[in-house]
Amino acid sequence: MTVRRLGAGLVAAALFTPALAGCAGGTTGTAGSTASPTVSASGAPSQSGGAPVSGDAKQALLDSTKAISDGNFRFTLSGAGSTAEGQVHQPSQSAAMKFAIGGPSSDLAMKLDVIHAKPDSWVKLELTGPTADSLPAIKQLNLGKYQHLDQARIKGNKSLGFDFEKVDPAGSAVLTQGITEVRSTGTGTYAGTVDVTKAAEAGSLNAATIAALGTQAKTVPFSAKVDPQGRLSELVLQLPASGQTTAQEIKMTYSDYGSATPAQKPPADQVVEAPAELYSLFN
């Protein structure tokens, strides 16, 4: 197996594009809807009955994502057996993110520690498991050091690159625009359904995942929380079971609005130039 072939399977399950076919840790069965009165995105009662809640719940959620665009926050993202966490600091044009795909019992698992400090980017890569151990080429990538990246070679790459014009790794603003039904479930909490067929560009779902859901993609249950300032603090998608795939949860959180810190560049003695094999893995 070449590094390129290895990357094709592993990166397909990368955190920001979780593939349903490779999900792990999801709950069995199909996520159910509640019997609470539901309000359509237009503010009118849905066919399930009930009176509309006061105010515009969808507008509240749309507004809750505006602070993300300021690019100063911390985030987490989990789903499909993968996790991510990090911070974005637009004022300094920097960001730091850590991804984990697969676990100790996986045949192949990946950890990425990525740092962006414009105009530079670095990644520390760790590939583990029986498959990784059997590939000599992996030794060229498991260096235990940060690998400096050529910006021209990672442009448009969602795993290694970062667009400071689109600072939200999960694309919550795009997701909330697809809300079809929503209700307030308490102070600062909401629930409803979202049409994710328009959300491939969001980053938290890819086209293959959406296609696998079929018609269910138009009514994916979600819940959301906002902080006392009305800013999005949590968004959870409950992807239903589809075919041979169990249901799974994708969860995004946001915190420390306005108080994130600049990402720290790696020490010079911990940096090497990325070899060609690294770019092959992610292309």
Side-chain angles (χ1 to χ4, degrees):
M1 180 184 289
T2 65
V3 171
R4 177 175 291 278
R5 287 179 60 199
L6 167 67
L10 186 61
V11 180
L15 193 73
F16 295 129
T17 55
L20 286 178
C23 77
T27 56
T28 59
T30 302
S33 59
T34 68
S36 302
T38 302
V39 179
S40 70
S42 63
S46 73
Q47 293 180 353
S48 60
V53 296
S54 59
D56 189 335
K58 181 177 180 179
Q59 189 61 49
L61 288 178
L62 290 173
D63 291 343
S64 75
T65 66
K66 292 180 179 178
I68 299 174
S69 63
D70 292 336
N72 192 328
F73 59 87
R74 294 182 183 275
F75 75 94
T76 68
L77 178 59
S78 62
S82 305
T83 61
E85 62 178 344
Q87 64 187 52
V88 178
H89 192 257
Q90 179 75 292
S92 64
Q93 295 278 277
S94 68
M97 305 176 188
K98 293 184 178 181
F99 312 145
I101 305 167
S105 61
S106 300
D107 184 57
L108 181 62
M110 174 189 282
K111 289 184 179 179
L112 290 174
D113 184 349
V114 186
I115 299 174
H116 303 283
K118 210 169 183 179
D120 291 299
S121 297
W122 303 263
V123 62
K124 182 188 289 186
L125 174 67
E126 181 182 355
L127 290 166
T128 58
T131 298
D133 294 340
S134 68
L135 297 173
I138 294 300
K139 295 181 180 179
Q140 300 180 56
L141 303 178
N142 282 346
L143 302 176
K145 292 189 175 184
Y146 287 93
Q147 302 180 49
H148 182 255
L149 301 170
D150 181 345
Q151 294 297 308
R153 300 180 75 170
I154 64 171
K155 186 175 182 179
N157 187 307
K158 290 185 178 181
S159 297
L160 297 179
F162 190 79
D163 185 352
F164 281 97
E165 299 299 318
K166 299 178 181 179
V167 296
D168 181 10
S172 293
V174 175
L175 286 170
T176 54
Q177 288 171 10
I179 290 174
T180 52
E181 292 185 336
V182 60
R183 62 190 177 276
S184 173
T185 57
T187 302
T189 61
Y190 302 87
T193 58
V194 58
D195 179 355
V196 300
T197 61
K198 305 172 184 177
E201 64 184 273
S204 48
L205 292 171
N206 68 356
T209 299
I210 295 170
L213 289 172
T215 57
Q216 296 181 103
K218 293 184 176 293
T219 54
V220 171
F222 81 91
S223 62
K225 296 179 182 179
V226 300
D227 66 14
Q229 289 73 43
R231 302 170 300 197
L232 186 67
S233 59
E234 179 182 288
L235 180 61
V236 180
L237 302 180
Q238 298 289 350
L239 301 185
S242 177
Q244 298 180 345
T245 306
T246 59
Q248 64 173 303
E249 177 182 280
I250 295 180
K251 181 178 181 179
M252 307 149 228
T253 70
Y254 300 87
S255 62
D256 293 345
Y257 284 104
S259 59
T261 56
Q264 298 298 306
K265 299 179 181 180
D269 63 354
Q270 293 296 309
V271 174
V272 297
E273 285 298 319
E277 288 80 6
L278 181 80
Y279 300 106
S280 295
L281 174 64
F282 288 94
N283 289 329

